[in-house]
Amino acid sequence: MKHSLFKEVEKMENDDGFKVELSSKPMQFNGMAKIPAGEMPYDININGFGKIQGDFKCDSLHANGLLSAKGKLEVRGDLQVDGLFKCNDSLKVTNNVNFGGMGKINSNVTINGELNAEGAFKCKADVFVTEKAMFAGSAKINGNFTSQDNLTIKGRASIYGNIVGKNITISRTEDVKSFFNRKSRIYGNLAAQKDIIIDDIKVEGDIQGQNVNIGENSIIYGKIFYVDELNIDKDAYLENDPIQISLEELHH
């Protein structure tokens, strides 16, 4: 069943009765805004419902409410959405991204900055982030997730590709546990330059890090490779014996 907010976006996409109030520097859209495909070299603020009709480029983009993009979206600054964000193609952002609600992207995501997502984040392809990435809620990614810095998920994750980062943490707070009652599930491999800390999770692939901590309620079907320290909760299940490797082997 689709979330009611996504149904509202579909109504927007079929509605031609948009009302726009705008002024430049920065460009402000209030109410219901229908933005044509193309390029606007401005900082854009949207309050209400915003619909971008095709491939679009702008400097920065801040939206409070519902924002729908039908094509590729490129933001040459920060992207911040408090509410619902839906992009039918790829997303490329030069600086930082903040989602304060639900985000759904149907193609690749490239962020040359930080990613902070609260609520539900969904991507049907690969996600690449040059700086740290933080998820507080749920994350579903149908491709690989790569961060050149730290990756932290405090909630439930379903990731169908590989995860790469400097430090990787996938865990749950007590509040999140009460809401998301299923384990996180990683279908690919986890590879960290330094530390991996996970709990309440199923991992189909291999795990490798300098220090590895496998917490409670974890099931690991692949192999575990570690360099210095390995901590395994007594309730965790490992299908294979852990293997200690050298730092050189980890980095290659």
Side-chain angles (χ1 to χ4, degrees), residues 226-246:
Y226 72 99
V227 176
D228 294 325
E229 294 186 9
L230 174 66
N231 295 299
I232 302 173
D233 187 87
K234 60 182 178 59
D235 294 327
Y237 169 78
L238 307 183
E239 191 154 290
N240 301 282
D241 292 331
I243 301 170
Q244 189 168 20
I245 60 176
S246 68

Side-chain angles (χ1 to χ4, degrees), residues 61 94 119 145 213 224:
L61 178 56
T94 301
F145 191 100
N213 190 317
I224 298 175

Side-chain angles (χ1 to χ4, degrees), residues 9-152:
V9 170
E10 290 178 350
K11 290 179 183 178
M12 289 167 52
E13 292 174 348
N14 296 322
D15 184 6
D16 292 327
F18 289 87
K19 299 177 181 179
V20 180
E21 301 174 12
L22 60 88
S23 60
S24 61
K25 298 182 180 180
M27 186 170 286
Q28 183 80 31
F29 293 86
N30 297 314
M32 300 184 68
K34 193 172 187 178
I35 302 173
E39 182 172 355
M40 290 185 179
Y42 301 103
D43 298 329
I44 296 177
N45 296 322
I46 300 172
N47 291 308
F49 293 172
K51 176 188 173 185
I52 301 172
Q53 295 179 283
D55 294 349
F56 187 74
K57 296 180 181 180
C58 64
D59 288 350
S60 69
L61 178 56
H62 294 183
N64 184 16
L66 277 68
L67 176 62
S68 172
K70 295 188 70 174
K72 298 177 181 178
L73 178 59
E74 181 176 344
V75 181
R76 295 184 292 257
D78 294 331
L79 170 64
Q80 180 171 338
V81 181
D82 294 315
L84 171 66
F85 173 71
K86 181 181 178 183
C87 182
N88 288 339
D89 207 308
S90 62
L91 173 65
K92 183 177 181 181
V93 182
T94 301
N95 289 336
N96 301 324
V97 174
N98 288 277
F99 291 130
M102 301 178 67
K104 182 179 179 181
I105 302 100
N106 287 340
S107 189
N108 293 329
V109 175
T110 304
I111 300 170
N112 293 315
E114 297 182 4
L115 169 60
N116 292 284
E118 298 180 3
F121 177 89
K122 297 180 180 180
C123 178
K124 292 186 176 181
D126 296 335
V127 178
F128 177 81
V129 182
T130 61
E131 298 184 23
K132 66 181 181 180
M134 165 70 81
F135 297 89
S138 67
K140 181 178 180 181
I141 298 171
N142 284 40
N144 299 317
F145 191 100
T146 303
S147 172
Q148 293 183 341
D149 205 308
N150 299 333
L151 166 62
T152 303

Side-chain angles (χ1 to χ4, degrees), residues 147-208:
S147 172
Q148 293 183 341
D149 205 308
N150 299 333
L151 166 62
T152 303
I153 300 175
K154 294 182 178 180
R156 180 171 60 84
S158 296
I159 298 178
Y160 290 82
N162 301 320
I163 302 176
V164 177
K166 182 181 291 184
N167 295 289
I168 298 173
T169 301
I170 304 175
S171 62
R172 305 193 197 184
T173 64
E174 291 301 319
D175 291 340
V176 173
K177 280 185 180 181
S178 66
F179 185 74
F180 301 109
N181 55 11
R182 291 185 295 170
K183 293 180 184 295
S184 292
R185 188 144 194 173
I186 311 301
Y187 293 87
N189 302 321
L190 278 76
Q193 297 177 26
K194 295 184 178 179
D195 298 343
I196 292 180
I197 302 171
I198 55 176
D199 64 47
D200 210 5
I201 191 172
K202 288 183 181 180
V203 180
E204 301 282 349
D206 296 338
I207 295 173
Q208 60 179 18

